[in-house]
């Protein structure tokens, strides 16, 4: 009989502790499911956004690694899509320092240098695009503004690996 009462009390205490700890995490200000991407997050090569995909009849094959990646070509910017989701599922923020690339693994950190004026910006590539002929990267409006890009400009892209500047 005494053992039965002891078990009931222990069960009630454990249940109460579990409920209290669950409520405490509800108000802690942190979320277990965050759609935010950290700059130090390594690409998940098995994620759907890093698998081959087709746009306008063209199949794109995302790279397995961006180590040593460099490219020169034309960049544009996008900003009117505020509120849309990126390929990674995060909300697109036009004033952020992000970019879209057709084949870099997501996420990747790159430095984009405007070859007309020498200004550069470090961005997090978290989206796919641009899908206009002759363009190699789309910058968020915030990133384009930092390097003085209005419309289309010739740029150099360099993969940063783990180093990203906050300039």
């Amino acid at each position: 009989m005494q053992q039965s009462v002891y078990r009931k009390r222990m069960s009630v205490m454990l249940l109460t502790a579990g409920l209290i700890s669950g409520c405490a995490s509800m108000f802690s200000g942190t979320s277990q499911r965050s759609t935010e991407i950290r700059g130090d997050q390594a690409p998940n090569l098995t994620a759907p956004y890093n698998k081959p995909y087709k746009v306008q009849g063209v199949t794109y094959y995302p790279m397995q690694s961006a180590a040593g990646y460099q490219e020169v070509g034309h960049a544009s910017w996008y900003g009117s899509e505020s509120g849309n989701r990126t390929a990674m599922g995060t909300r697109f923020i036009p004033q952020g320092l992000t970019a879209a690339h057709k084949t870099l693994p997501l996420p990747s950190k790159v430095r984009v240098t405007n070859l007309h004026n020498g200004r550069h910006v470090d961005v997090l590539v978290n989206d796919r695009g641009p899908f206009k002929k002759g363009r190699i990267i789309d910058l968020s409006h915030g990133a384009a503004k930092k390097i003085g890009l209005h419309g289309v400009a010739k740029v150099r892209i360099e993969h940063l690996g783990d180093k990203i500047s906050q300039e």
Side-chain angles (χ1 to χ4, degrees):
M1 180 79 172
Q2 250 181 331
Q3 235 178 357
S4 175
V5 172
Y6 176 76
R7 281 187 190 151
K8 284 181 184 175
R9 284 185 183 164
M10 285 302 290
S11 296
V12 170
M13 286 178 22
L14 288 172
L15 180 62
T16 304
L19 289 172
I20 290 171
S21 68
C23 292
S25 66
M26 190 168 82
F27 300 105
S28 68
T30 60
S31 170
Q32 295 290 334
R33 287 189 74 198
S34 174
T35 58
E36 186 177 320
I37 301 169
R38 297 181 330 269
D40 61 350
Q41 183 178 340
N44 176 358
L45 299 177
T46 62
Y49 48 78
N50 281 321
K51 297 286 186 195
Y53 64 99
K54 190 180 269 194
V55 174
Q56 300 169 356
V58 178
T59 302
Y60 298 93
Y61 298 90
M63 297 177 221
Q64 294 296 300
S65 171
Y69 172 81
Q70 288 190 31
E71 187 175 6
V72 173
H74 289 92
S76 52
W77 65 272
Y78 63 127
S80 62
E81 300 85 357
S82 181
N84 287 347
R85 297 282 174 184
T86 68
M88 293 188 68
T90 58
R91 186 168 301 283
F92 171 66
I93 302 168
Q95 297 309 315
L97 299 180
T98 59
H101 192 277
K102 291 184 278 277
T103 57
L104 279 169
L106 301 181
S108 290
K109 294 176 275 187
V110 297
R111 174 166 290 164
V112 180
T113 303
N114 183 336
L115 296 178
H116 177 70
N117 62 19
R119 290 166 58 185
H120 70 268
V121 63
D122 296 348
V123 297
L124 181 69
V125 179
N126 66 351
D127 205 359
R128 292 291 178 213
F131 300 108
K132 278 207 165 177
K133 189 174 171 86
R135 311 240 178 114
I136 61 169
I137 195 164
D138 258 345
L139 299 175
S140 63
H141 185 255
K145 196 171 165 182
K146 276 204 170 252
I147 63 170
L149 187 146
H150 307 284
V152 178
K154 192 170 186 178
V155 298
R156 178 178 55 249
I157 305 170
E158 305 165 84
H159 181 253
L160 292 175
D162 294 333
K163 49 188 193 259
I164 192 162
S165 131
Q166 300 301 316
E167 294 175 18

